[in-house]
Amino acid sequence: MNASTNRPKKIAAIVTEYRHNSHAEVIVGRLLGDMGYQPSVEVVSLYTDQVPVNDMSREVAARCGIPIYPTIAEAVRAGHCQEPIDGVVIIGEHGDYPMNERGQMMYPRRRFLEETLVTLDYLGLAVPIFSDKHLAYNYNDAVWMFSQLKARKIPFMGGSSIPHCDHIPTFNEQNLRSLREILVISSGGLEAYGIHAMEVMQSLAERREGGETGVRSIRLLGGSGDETWSAMDRGEWPEDLLLQALKAIPGVPDAHPRELEPEPALFIVDYMDGTKGYIIQFKRLVEQWSFAFRNGQGRVTAALCDSDLERPFAHFERLTRMIENFIISGKEPFPPERILLTTGMISFAMDSLFEGRKLETPCLGITYRL
């Protein structure tokens, strides 16, 4: 075995900002050996799009002996290394970026990927790429990004940490084969946290018999007045699944959530095969994600996604290990179509809220199997 196959895989990290508790710190920081993590890969270059007053990147880079390059192209080229990089980690989350009229943070994820691909093309490389959370705030950008990755046959992994959390209690995933309804509980900002709930829902829904068939329509009621509760009264979403999912979250007050949270948001997802998906997004009632689903036999299963609320955020350690294994092996841990689909789901949901109506989504007829 030659020396090049013995050495750790080398990674270029492209981030919006690197500060305390940012996604860059809890992922790239681990890859640099911080937070008690023992990395199996080597970060050899860094690009930061912004440098806030509480920036950590300069101190960390100096301590670890890695350069911070002024451009993405230079970070990907990593000219100080004798051998080319083996992978790219893109963290387009956090930072001071504008918000559009639809309430979406305009993170430069397409620009990050586009500049990365131009440089990889120049170098003649097709190395694995991880991109944090959803592909882009704009679905047309996401389709372009996905198609460019596919055209180059570049292994791709995206998404967040929450779908990979342990389920408490555990359950027989065979119950998902005949899934007919699923409800996910979430909290926080509609796009930034709604995408976590979309990914949780999709990571379960994709396991139904026949695989994924795509999404027919999306509706988002944004929490103005009591729209969500009125829709429940009309039988438009299943109250029993909400109550079962809430029971899975520790510390939730023993009262009907209607009394505790007057204006939650409601996402309604109609799948092509008739499966129904719902997300109830609270503003303050909960801090974790849980779900309940009903299968074809009428059986209801509920569980908590066991994410941590405090440092060191073990769910990010699990995600980081998945990223490492992906870059080392070049094997995608799940179909990347999941990320394209959930990107479309959250994008059209924000469009639905802006336009005040249900949107038909024939372009989300995305099919895949695990």
Side-chain angles (χ1 to χ4, degrees):
M1 184 178 292
N2 60 43
S4 64
T5 56
N6 270 328
R7 65 170 176 79
K9 299 286 187 180
K10 298 182 182 296
I11 292 175
I14 313 299
V15 308
T16 43
E17 68 173 16
Y18 193 127
R19 45 93 176 153
H20 182 71
N21 277 355
S22 66
H23 283 204
E25 190 223 355
V26 298
I27 296 174
V28 178
R30 281 184 162 92
L31 296 176
L32 288 168
D34 290 339
M35 304 184 77
Y37 191 85
Q38 298 296 319
S40 302
V41 300
E42 180 184 3
V43 177
V44 297
S45 62
L46 182 63
Y47 167 81
T48 60
D49 202 50
Q50 297 182 352
V51 185
V53 294
N54 56 345
D55 173 72
M56 295 174 60
S57 66
R58 273 56 188 166
E59 180 276 324
V60 168
R63 170 166 50 84
C64 296
I66 63 170
I68 298 178
Y69 284 103
T71 67
I72 291 173
E74 289 171 280
V76 173
R77 285 198 296 266
H80 64 290
C81 295
Q82 293 184 341
E83 297 171 310
I85 61 167
D86 302 293
V88 181
V89 170
I90 296 175
I91 312 288
E93 181 78 0
H94 301 301
D96 184 15
Y97 295 93
M99 183 173 287
N100 67 15
E101 61 186 357
R102 284 167 162 73
Q104 297 165 295
M105 193 65 72
M106 299 170 69
Y107 289 120
R109 293 172 187 156
R110 170 171 172 159
R111 173 169 65 84
F112 280 14
L113 181 66
E114 190 166 1
E115 293 184 24
T116 296
L117 292 177
V118 167
T119 309
L120 291 177
D121 288 347
Y122 175 79
L123 297 171
L125 298 177
V127 300
I129 296 175
F130 169 80
S131 184
D132 188 40
K133 293 188 75 174
H134 51 304
L135 281 164
Y137 66 90
N138 179 289
Y139 185 60
N140 289 333
D141 284 350
V143 171
W144 181 89
M145 295 163 72
F146 190 80
S147 66
Q148 295 298 311
L149 291 162
K150 283 291 188 182
R152 291 166 172 80
K153 298 182 179 179
I154 288 177
F156 177 72
M157 175 184 169
S160 71
S161 59
I162 305 303
H164 311 298
C165 293
D166 288 333
H167 296 151
I168 298 178
T170 58
F171 60 91
N172 185 352
E173 293 190 353
Q174 288 297 313
N175 291 336
L176 290 164
R177 297 281 290 169
S178 62
L179 181 145
R180 301 311 299 157
E181 288 184 296
I182 181 167
L183 183 144
V184 177
I185 289 177
S186 184
S187 66
L190 288 177
E191 185 200 29
Y193 282 79
I195 185 59
H196 292 301
M198 291 286 188
E199 290 188 353
V200 169
M201 184 165 66
Q202 192 54 37
S203 70
L204 299 167
E206 67 193 12
R207 296 181 180 277
R208 62 198 190 278
E209 189 172 7
E212 185 50 60
T213 60
V215 168
R216 176 180 290 114
S217 67
I218 301 279
R219 180 75 169 103
L220 171 54
L221 302 175
S224 174
D226 65 349
E227 291 177 294
T228 296
W229 299 122
S230 296
M232 182 190 74
D233 293 338
R234 295 191 299 269
E236 295 176 12
W237 61 271
E239 179 184 15
D240 65 322
L241 292 187
L242 168 69
L243 298 178
Q244 289 295 318
L246 276 175
K247 286 181 181 179
I249 303 177
V252 175
D254 187 19
H256 195 285
R258 188 174 199 159
E259 301 173 19
L260 305 169
E261 204 38 274
E263 299 181 349
L266 168 66
F267 298 76
I268 302 175
V269 177
D270 291 309
Y271 285 90
M272 295 284 188
D273 66 355
T275 302
K276 301 282 289 188
Y278 310 93
I279 295 168
I280 308 297
Q281 187 139 328
F282 295 105
K283 296 178 181 178
R284 55 187 175 274
L285 180 61
V286 297
E287 294 184 83
Q288 291 176 289
W289 288 264
S290 68
F291 57 86
F293 65 87
R294 191 184 339 266
N295 67 9
Q297 293 73 49
R299 178 174 180 173
V300 173
T301 301
L304 171 74
C305 299
D306 190 25
S307 59
D308 300 275
L309 300 176
E310 304 292 340
R311 286 173 72 91
F313 308 118
H315 53 292
F316 275 106
E317 179 162 335
R318 174 170 294 184
L319 176 64
T320 304
R321 192 63 70 190
M322 289 179 67
I323 295 167
E324 283 194 297
N325 291 337
F326 162 63
I327 288 174
I328 291 168
S329 69
K331 296 180 180 178
E332 296 162 341
F334 52 85
E337 285 81 3
R338 179 201 292 176
I339 306 305
L340 179 62
L341 181 55
T342 53
T343 297
M345 289 160 68
I346 193 67
S347 178
F348 282 107
M350 300 306 291
D351 288 346
S352 167
L353 178 64
F354 183 75
E355 298 181 23
R357 62 187 180 92
K358 180 173 79 171
L359 296 181
E360 301 299 321
T361 56
C363 60
L364 297 185
I366 297 167
T367 63
Y368 65 92
R369 290 174 180 266
L370 294 178

